[in-house]
């Protein structure tokens, strides 16, 4: 029928989640990684509840931005490679290993792919870590932001970040940053997902739109 | 009323001139055709890709700007003053093409001076803002100008009006503009509160501009601030090494 055809067409058009906001921050003993939930194709919101935080291993997650197809495929491939690697070494993989695998794909296929993954997690050797793999580079940072919505929160994160933040501070930081970006960026919105990873485990949370922090003009 | 005479003269670039006689001054000749996009000569016109900001408080306004003017990758002026007086208690913050905004500010400054003499009273900020808007909207295709108008008048106190590219006009308690403004929307949204004092507004503006200058390659130099109240105008400059710094 006509309706089905229209839906099919919408799904097959490019889903870009370059139009997104992703953020990750490390604290002593773990990381918090967060994203919005909007996938838009032009002016249409194709998925308003997409979780852009993808597990690469038990205690290593990545946040997807850029072309949704490219990013999801990269995450799946690295997930597989990490499984094999962790069996071979007989223990949980390092976050740096996961980030290096992502970087290798990003760099080798940099002309064909357009996806930017932020890798964050906890391991026994170096605790909480955040890595950026934009354009095929690999860099560890205390925190990282990405996606179209990130432009609007550079000032906020620069001003608010301090060393030695606790887990709760980091969670608030992530939720506030996402809420601010979602308010200003038309391509980010929906709900805020965030995952807290530390030595005790992985805790996934979702904050609905009406429970997000509000600011002076709302 | 717009009276439009097409003059058969051409300007030095070979473009046909259309002379508009709707404003009480001789400034009105604009080229009918704007330079084509990708025109190499237009890439190196001086522009203020910049960060500008204005905040209202009870009793006045605080305005601020960075100080960089670029022509291509060269910084033509690293100590530009983008805060331009259009009347005793009314200023504008200029972003976009340096030539366009200077010309618009001069024209509005003339019109306001004339209007104030006719009225025998200082003009309203809303009047100044509307004059900017009229010019920016009428010549929207030819101009590249993003302007924030701010000042004090005795009817409504401190007011900030923003006239972005395209020529819309809206009053806001706090407004930012220029290329560096994208980076500080989050900071402004989270840190602005109503009922701030003049000192708090100055600190808030300086912090926001410093953050934007750190992230935006097209903004930099010094921070110029001005506070406009009934009592008058206070200007200040924060040099590069005295800028607030943030741990990241």
């Amino acid at each position: 029928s006509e309706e089905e055809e229209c839906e099919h067409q919408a799904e097959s058009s490019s889903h870009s989640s370059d139009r997104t906001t992703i953020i990750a921050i490390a604290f002593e003993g773990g990381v918090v990684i967060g994203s919005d939930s909007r996938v838009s194709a032009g002016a249409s919101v194709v998925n308003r509840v997409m979780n852009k935080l993808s597990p690469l291993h038990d205690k290593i997650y990545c946040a997807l931005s850029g072309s949704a197809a490219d990013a999801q495929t990269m995450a799946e491939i690295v997930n597989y490679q990490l499984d094999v690697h962790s069996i071979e070494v007989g223990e949980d993989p390092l976050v740096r290993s996961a980030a290096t695998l992502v970087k290798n794909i990003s760099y080798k296929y940099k002309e064909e792919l357009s996806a930017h993954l932020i890798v964050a997690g906890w391991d026994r050797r170096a605790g909480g870590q955040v890595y950026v793999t934009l354009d095929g580079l690999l860099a560890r940072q205390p925190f990282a932001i990405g996606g179209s919505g990130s432009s609007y929160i550079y000032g906020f994160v620069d001003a608010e970040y301090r060393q030695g933040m606790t887990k709760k501070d980091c969670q608030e930081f992530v939720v506030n940053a996402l809420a601010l970006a979602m308010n200003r960026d038309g391509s980010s919105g929906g709900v805020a997902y965030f995952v807290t990873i530390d030595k005790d485990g992985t805790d996934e949370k979702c904050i609905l739109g009406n429970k997000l922090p509000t600011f002076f003009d709302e | 009323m717009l009276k439009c005479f097409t003059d058969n003269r051409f300007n030095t670039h070979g473009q046909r001139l259309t002379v508009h006689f709707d404003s009480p001054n001789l400034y009105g000749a604009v080229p009918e055709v704007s330079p084509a996009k990708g025109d190499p000569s237009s890439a190196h016109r001086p522009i203020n890709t910049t960060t500008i900001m204005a905040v209202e408080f009870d009793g006045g306004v605080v305005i601020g700007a960075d100080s960089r003017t670029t022509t291509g990758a060269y910084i033509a002026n690293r100590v530009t003053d983008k805060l331009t007086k259009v009347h005793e208690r009314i200023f504008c913050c200029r972003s976009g093409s340096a030539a366009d905004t200077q010309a618009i500010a001069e024209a509005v400054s003339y019109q306001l001076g004339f209007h104030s003499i006719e009225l025998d009273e200082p003009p309203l900020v809303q009047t100044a803002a509307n004059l900017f808007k009229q010019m920016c909207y009428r010549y929207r295709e030819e101009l590249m100008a993003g302007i924030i108008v701010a000042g004090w008048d005795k009817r409504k106190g401190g007011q900030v009006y923003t006239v972005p590219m395209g020529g819309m006009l809206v009053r806001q308690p706090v407004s930012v503009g220029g290329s560096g403004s994208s980076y500080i929307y989050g900071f402004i949204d989270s840190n602005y509160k109503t009922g701030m004092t003049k000192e708090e507004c100055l600190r808030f503006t300086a912090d926001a501009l410093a953050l934007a200058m750190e992230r935006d390659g097209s903004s930099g130099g010094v921070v110029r601030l001005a506070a406009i109240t009934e009592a008058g105008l206070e200007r200040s400059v924060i040099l590069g090494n005295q800028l607030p710094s943030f741990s990241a």
Side-chain angles (χ1 to χ4, degrees):
Chain A
S1 75
E2 259 183 19
E3 272 171 0
E4 276 175 38
E5 233 178 24
C6 285
E7 263 183 30
H8 177 70
Q9 218 166 24
E11 271 168 21
S12 62
S13 62
S14 69
H15 298 179
S16 178
S17 57
D18 190 15
R19 315 276 173 257
T20 183
T21 310
I22 52 177
I23 175 171
I25 175 167
F27 59 91
E28 177 78 46
V31 294
V32 180
I33 182 169
S35 78
D36 73 308
S37 69
R38 180 172 290 182
V39 180
S40 46
S44 171
V45 176
V46 174
N47 187 344
R48 61 191 170 118
V49 285
M50 161 109 177
N51 191 341
K52 302 174 192 177
L53 305 175
S54 191
L56 297 177
H57 202 78
D58 297 337
K59 293 216 173 43
I60 308 176
Y61 270 66
C62 69
L64 314 175
S65 77
S67 147
D70 287 351
Q72 282 181 350
T73 307
M74 280 167 68
E76 272 174 35
I77 292 175
V78 172
N79 186 343
Y80 164 79
Q81 290 174 338
L82 267 185
D83 275 345
V84 171
H85 171 70
S86 81
I87 288 171
E88 284 175 345
V89 297
E91 59 180 36
D92 282 342
L94 299 177
V95 185
R96 197 178 181 89
S97 311
T100 305
L101 290 170
V102 173
K103 179 265 287 177
N104 287 342
I105 303 179
S106 288
Y107 183 70
K108 185 165 181 193
Y109 299 105
K110 98 197 275 212
E111 305 305 325
E112 292 96 325
L113 296 176
S114 85
H116 168 37
L117 271 55
I118 296 179
V119 179
W122 180 90
D123 63 47
R124 265 193 335 219
R125 202 183 286 185
Q129 301 144 73
V130 171
Y131 291 88
V132 289
T133 61
L134 182 63
D135 283 349
L137 70 74
L138 177 65
R140 182 176 173 192
Q141 293 182 184
F143 69 90
I145 54 179
S148 61
S150 69
S151 312
Y152 303 104
I153 49 174
Y154 272 104
F156 174 77
V157 300
D158 282 345
E160 287 299 310
Y161 175 77
R162 324 166 287 288
Q163 287 190 332
M165 298 205 326
T166 64
K167 175 162 81 168
K168 191 147 176 308
D169 289 339
C170 287
Q171 287 171 337
E172 269 177 35
F173 179 87
V174 163
V175 170
N176 282 332
L178 287 172
L180 287 163
M182 281 155 64
N183 276 344
R184 286 290 181 179
D185 181 29
S187 321
S188 302
V191 305
Y193 289 106
F194 68 96
V195 176
T196 312
I197 308 169
D198 58 19
K199 70 178 188 341
D200 300 319
T202 312
D203 180 26
E204 297 190 8
K205 283 251 173 24
C206 169
I207 303 203
L208 298 186
N210 59 348
K211 300 280 197 302
L212 284 171
T214 55
F215 303 97
F216 77 96
D217 51 357
E218 294 170 282
Chain B
M1 295 301 124
L2 169 63
K3 286 180 275 199
C4 176
F5 300 81
T6 302
D7 199 319
N8 280 326
R9 285 175 293 170
F10 291 83
N11 68 7
T12 49
H13 299 285
Q15 292 163 333
R16 186 180 290 277
L17 272 178
T18 303
V19 181
H20 299 268
F21 286 114
D22 56 327
S23 47
N25 59 19
L26 295 177
Y27 168 77
V30 291
E32 204 169 56
V33 176
S34 36
K37 248 187 175 161
D39 175 8
S41 65
S42 65
H44 294 291
R45 301 235 171 89
I47 40 174
N48 294 329
T49 46
T50 178
T51 315
I52 51 176
M53 179 167 166
V55 191
E56 286 177 9
F57 62 92
D58 185 18
V61 293
V62 164
I63 56 177
D66 75 305
S67 70
R68 183 171 287 185
T69 304
T70 53
T71 49
Y74 174 65
I75 300 174
N77 186 350
R78 62 189 170 115
V79 286
T80 322
D81 184 8
K82 302 179 190 177
L83 307 175
T84 304
K85 179 178 111 152
V86 291
H87 206 265
E88 289 304 322
R89 299 278 184 283
I90 308 177
F91 267 63
C92 69
C93 311
R94 300 181 290 110
S95 76
S97 154
D100 286 350
T101 53
Q102 280 177 5
I104 297 171
E106 263 176 45
V108 170
S109 174
Y110 168 85
Q111 291 168 345
L112 264 187
F114 199 85
H115 172 68
S116 153
I117 287 171
E118 287 180 321
L119 217 55
D120 198 22
E121 191 174 276
L124 299 177
V125 186
Q126 189 167 3
T127 309
N130 273 285
L131 287 170
F132 272 105
K133 178 212 60 188
Q134 279 177 4
M135 196 161 290
C136 292
Y137 180 70
R138 170 160 291 152
Y139 301 116
R140 57 186 292 172
E141 303 303 324
E142 290 92 344
L143 292 173
M144 182 168 97
I147 294 178
I148 301 180
V149 185
W152 180 93
D153 64 46
K154 70 172 199 274
R155 200 184 282 189
K156 292 190 189 166
Q159 300 145 74
V160 170
Y161 294 88
T162 180
V163 183
M165 284 192 220
M168 119 170 144
L169 170 65
V170 74
R171 181 180 174 191
Q172 292 180 313
V174 58
S175 185
V176 291
S179 60
S181 67
S182 320
Y183 303 106
I184 49 175
Y185 276 110
F187 177 78
I188 306 267
D189 285 344
S190 61
N191 283 61
Y192 174 75
K193 14 186 226 309
T194 49
M196 292 200 287
T197 64
K198 179 171 80 168
E199 284 67 31
E200 286 173 330
C201 286
L202 283 164
R203 162 76 64 83
F204 174 58
T205 307
D207 284 348
L209 290 171
L211 287 164
M213 282 155 64
E214 188 117 347
R215 286 291 183 178
D216 180 28
S218 321
S219 301
V222 305
V223 169
R224 292 198 188 273
L225 294 169
I228 308 168
T229 57
E230 177 175 12
L233 168 72
E234 288 162 31
R235 295 199 67 143
S236 54
V237 180
I238 305 185
L239 300 183
N241 59 350
Q242 296 158 354
L243 285 172
S245 69
F246 301 90
S247 64

